[in-house]
Amino acid sequence: MIQKVFKLLFVFCLFSFQLAKAQTTVSGKITDGSTGMSLPGVNVVVKGTTNGVSTDFEGKYSINVPSRSAILVFSFVGYAEKEIAFTGATTLNVSLTENANQLGEVVVTALGISKDQRKLGYAVTTVGGDNLDKARETNVANGLAGRVSGLVVRGTNSGAGGTSKVLLRGISGITSGGSPLFVIDGIPIDNTQRGSAGEWGGADQGDGIGNINPDDIEKMTVLKGQSASALYGARAVNGVIIITTKKGKKGGDYAITFNSNFMADAPVDFTDFQDQYGQGTGGSKPLTTGAALATNRNSWGGKLDGSSVIGFDGQQYSYSKAKESYIDFYKTGTNLTNTVSVSKGLGDGAFRLSFSNLDSKSIVPNSGLKRTTINLSADQNITDKLNVAASVNYTDERSNNRPFLSDGPKNPNNFLLLAPNVDHNIFAPGYDPITGAEVVFSDDNYVTNPYFIVNQGVEDPTRKRTISVLSTKYSFTDDIYAMVRLGNDVSNDTEFSVNPWGLDYTTNKRGSLDSKGQSTRSELNLDGLFGAKFKIGTDFSVDALAGGNIRQNKYERIKIGGGPFVLPYLYTPNNVVNINREYNYTGSESHSAFYSFDFGYKKYLTLSTTGRYDVYSSLSSAASSDNAVFTPSVSGAFVFNDLLHIDALDFAKVRLSYAVTSGEATPYTNSLYFNSGNSLVSNGVSYATGSIPSTLPTLLKPFTVDEVELGLDLRFFKSRLTFDLSYYEKTSHDEILNAEYSRSTGFATGVVASASIQNKGLEIAVTGIPVKTDNFTWTTSLNTTNFKNKVLATNADETPIVLGSNRGTLGNAVTAYVVGEAGPQIRAYDYAYNTDGSIQVDAAGLPVRGEFKNFGSVLPTFYGGWNNEFKYKNFNLAFLVDFNYGNKVISATEYYSRLRGLNQATLVGRETGVTNSGITATAENYYQAEARNITSTSVVSGDFIKLRQLSFGYSFPKSVMGKISFLEGIDISFVARNLAILMRKADNIDPESSFGSNVKYYGIEGTSLPSTRSFGLNVNFKIK
């Protein structure tokens, strides 16, 4: 059905382009009424129509006007709106006057609807695209770090194309995915993570938002609270981030831009390991090749004295500090992005076409990513009342040898724990040139030689993705319209993962085909909206919206694999001894109806209510017809500055909102699905077999989340000082958890709706312009968040729900949801203590394990960012500092460095032993026992202050550009990202470092790529 609607809509759009009327072109220049300076970005609209343009860099505009009775409306943030009747003149220059009492800012809200910010009863923050595309990350979501109160952003240490973990106002629910819904130009997109690392290893294959090109983004709008995002229904539980892409300007001439961005990524060593004692055990250096191989990652040997020592390969090496450490294994990574765009106004329409190419070379040798993006948008007023818009974003992404993370197999980061005297270069090239066999470099053949995997590894996924939007809007009158919008997001992924020939732990070192396959993931949305504005008398107004949505999600995957290989280096399914195959399919559909009503009283009061009614195919069953979820919201905004009569106060608004949203319904869990098995042959007759699942189907609805939010907006001194404060309380209810049943019921497992978590927070954003002259402006902004959460309930027994761990402290240090505590909470073993408070040891002098207890949450309790922008004539300087306090991290680096004698703490007692309660143990025995048994020693602080971003730029003046006929402007910027950690409490890690890319592994660090410090150059050419 939806495909037929799409075809009819497309044919209608093509036909409608033939209906344009004869019109007159009006052009002119818009300036500031007091200074005479040009005003770029002023909106010029023919009143009562969708026909509008924006002024260019010089304040110039050109617009087609349909009749002598038309009225042109000129509006700009911070200026009084002006209306001028069209008299037939083709040139119209306009000056605008500042109006500090008019907030006037229009923001994009749910469903892509633009609203006046003064009327909003909930918190919304907008980040301009220029903050994201200079000192850029390969995943654009990482660029939001430190810029929005209430938002925590963490990248995954996995190189180019890695997943971005985004949490908005904490974790909304124990079972929620954590990540907000991303919406592009009014259409939700798929942000599914394709692959991840856990405690047993794995590769991060990226997420959906990482495919978006920063050069195509106009702005990102963060809808923080449940009221702000409730119109998205069950998908709004984690908040919503709306992306508005760049468009062509109506009435404008050709505008061509070329943007080139180069970033160099330098790996940073945050370890502070000891370099006084070398490889070996028992205080002695290795005496045989076998001992050398076994101790390359053990630093319990003697003091480094420069003497000769045998290596794993039988060669003699100096027993002194190696010339290169593990960090020198990596190289300087590079990211080169070139984007060219062309836009043009076409009568009452416009288009923009861009082409972008990213070539990213990882800090890991022979690893990287290439991405090509093509973006096309077109907007046309067919008549005064009919507008048609379309956009297509195509991405082609190809990865090469994506690195494995976490513990062990195929991980290129395994040199981290080399003894101080061992130079990683002696293990190159990592394999025997004749046989191809891996050169094992340590006591564990599952700890792959990094040289082997960077030279022989194959982990090469690809993705081709198309996001398309087609919409048509008909304005019956100035205030009544109807819109139909169709969006489709389709990703075609391939996977090619190989255990290479020669990999030591594979069968006879012959390798295997881990996976070769392809998958298709799609989301299709069809929206119908009807909106109207009208007044009731002179004081009351109503802004109403009603509509519906049909959504379809599909996922299909086929994969083959097998092993071992018959012939070396022929990595095809036809070259394996045994073959396996796998097929997966899921599909779901939802039908929704929604409404939004804004009731206004004069310019003081706005009361808004929304509701969405979602009907899910995944909740339908023969046993229940209750397959719908309703998500309501109500909010109010009271503007009261006129009532206070304070000269310095330009604007004051108090906000209050309440909403209830829901989690997503899971497909294929509400019915029994029988599985077919192998045929049973008896007396020459074949009988079909099958099995009944042991899990009881659930007829439960998804969990709900309610939130109340109170806010205050204040603006002083002609908006040179602004405050935005929000306090919220958010609670989940009836979260569905797995449960065990008695076998007598016929099922072994099922689910119960019992879990609940509560989040509270205070968000403060302050923006000021301390200095503003003709030549110099300083703008500064500070956002902070005070956050607190608590697990209210788990299962029926109120036992902790364990999430994740790393392999070093497997099960002995975990993250978990614990009733009454902030969550996820880190749980680990403490020391056992004597009555006098001293550490308890056993008869051998080794520390005794004590209580398994809570050590703190993985989520920060206080965080934010401080951003500064300085502009002097054509120069600009900006820097961003962000900070994070109150969370803890389980560090595998801390654990292994203690276990293997690299940690500075292990220097105490090296010569004399470690004595407690009069009993002495060797340092090696003591610290290894401590690492294994007292896992709280692996828990470190996550506090930090970072200089996140720095840019220094120059815009060449018009006097220079006038000498180059084809150039309108050049902007050049020197940029840096993750420039410095100004404060950290963890000794050996970047507190943000992580291998996992979902909530399960939040706050767990270990054996991932080192963090990087990036420097670069951004050059933007504007071509006439």
Side-chain angles (χ1 to χ4, degrees), residues 497-508:
S497 180
V498 173
N499 295 316
W501 180 274
L503 188 60
D504 194 76
Y505 63 78
T506 60
T507 303
N508 297 322

Side-chain angles (χ1 to χ4, degrees), residues 420-656:
N421 63 291
V422 179
D423 192 317
H424 62 85
N425 289 289
I426 67 175
F427 306 116
Y431 61 95
D432 187 308
I434 298 175
T435 66
E438 177 190 354
V439 174
V440 177
F441 82 105
S442 76
D443 53 335
D444 185 349
N445 70 336
Y446 282 93
V447 179
T448 306
N449 186 324
Y451 278 110
F452 174 84
I453 203 62
V454 300
N455 289 321
Q456 302 285 69
V458 178
E459 187 69 28
D460 302 343
T462 70
R463 182 175 306 157
K464 290 180 172 61
R465 183 179 189 182
T466 303
I467 302 173
S468 54
V469 182
L470 178 64
S471 66
T472 181
K473 180 179 179 181
Y474 188 84
S475 299
F476 297 96
T477 68
D478 292 354
D479 299 315
I480 301 175
Y481 71 91
M483 174 187 287
V484 178
R485 181 170 55 205
L486 182 66
N488 201 16
D489 181 3
V490 180
S491 297
N492 292 287
D493 291 37
T494 67
E495 52 189 284
F496 187 29
S497 180
V498 173
N499 295 316
W501 180 274
L503 188 60
D504 194 76
Y505 63 78
T506 60
T507 303
N508 297 322
K509 303 181 183 180
R510 301 179 72 88
S512 64
L513 181 62
D514 191 39
S515 68
K516 186 173 180 62
Q518 60 185 34
S519 61
T520 300
R521 190 183 302 269
S522 66
E523 173 164 333
L524 189 145
N525 281 274
L526 174 63
D527 293 324
L529 298 88
F530 181 82
K533 298 179 182 179
F534 53 91
K535 285 190 171 291
I536 303 174
T538 59
D539 295 335
F540 294 91
S541 63
V542 178
D543 189 345
L545 172 73
N549 168 267
I550 298 175
R551 173 165 63 100
Q552 292 180 347
N553 290 86
K554 294 181 181 180
Y555 171 70
E556 187 174 21
R557 176 178 181 248
I558 186 168
K559 185 196 83 168
I560 54 177
F565 291 115
V566 179
L567 299 174
Y569 306 114
L570 181 60
Y571 299 148
T572 69
N574 294 329
N575 188 42
V576 295
V577 176
N578 302 301
I579 195 168
N580 56 65
R581 60 188 182 273
E582 182 180 330
Y583 175 77
N584 304 100
Y585 175 84
T586 59
S588 63
E589 184 168 326
S590 65
H591 295 179
S592 308
F594 48 81
Y595 67 84
S596 172
F597 293 100
D598 296 341
F599 302 95
Y601 173 69
K602 293 185 176 179
K603 61 179 180 179
Y604 301 113
L605 182 64
T606 302
L607 180 65
S608 303
T609 178
T610 70
R612 182 168 177 132
Y613 190 77
D614 293 313
V615 180
Y616 289 97
S617 64
S618 50
L619 289 178
S620 303
S621 71
S624 173
S625 60
D626 189 9
N627 61 348
V629 175
F630 180 62
T631 52
S633 81
V634 61
S635 63
F638 177 51
V639 179
F640 60 90
N641 51 286
D642 287 344
L643 305 178
L644 300 179
H645 304 292
I646 300 175
D647 292 339
L649 180 63
D650 306 320
F651 179 81
K653 179 180 73 172
V654 64
R655 312 185 308 261
L656 181 63

Side-chain angles (χ1 to χ4, degrees), residues 69 230 275 279 319 359 381 407 420 425 439 527 603 605 655 665 684 714 722 841 878 888 907 1002 1017:
S69 61
D275 57 7
Q279 74 176 120
Y319 199 57
D359 187 353
N381 293 329
D407 208 335
N425 289 289
V439 174
D527 293 324
K603 61 179 180 179
L605 182 64
R655 312 185 308 261
L714 300 172
T722 67
V841 295
K888 300 293 184 180
L907 292 177
Y1002 210 92
L1017 180 68

Side-chain angles (χ1 to χ4, degrees), residues 7 242 254 295 302 386 447 488 528 541 660 717 746 793 832 844 854 879:
K7 292 179 181 178
I242 296 175
Y254 275 106
T295 59
L386 179 64
V447 179
N488 201 16
S541 63
V660 178
F717 310 115
N854 304 318
F879 68 86

Side-chain angles (χ1 to χ4, degrees), residues 165-167 170-179 193 238 803-804 815 817 823-824 858-859 996-1004:
K165 300 182 290 294
V166 182
L167 294 181
I171 295 174
S172 296
I174 289 175
T175 56
S176 73
S179 179
Q193 184 190 339
N238 296 314
L803 293 177
T815 58
Y817 290 110
V858 302
L859 300 181
S997 42
N998 52 39
V999 171
K1000 181 177 180 180
Y1001 297 105
Y1002 210 92
I1004 303 177

Side-chain angles (χ1 to χ4, degrees), residues 352-379:
R352 178 182 182 272
L353 174 65
S354 70
F355 176 86
S356 181
N357 182 73
L358 165 67
D359 187 353
S360 177
K361 293 180 172 58
S362 173
I363 61 173
V364 176
N366 301 322
S367 177
L369 175 147
K370 293 185 178 181
R371 182 170 66 214
T372 300
T373 305
I374 301 174
N375 182 273
L376 172 65
S377 63
D379 189 329

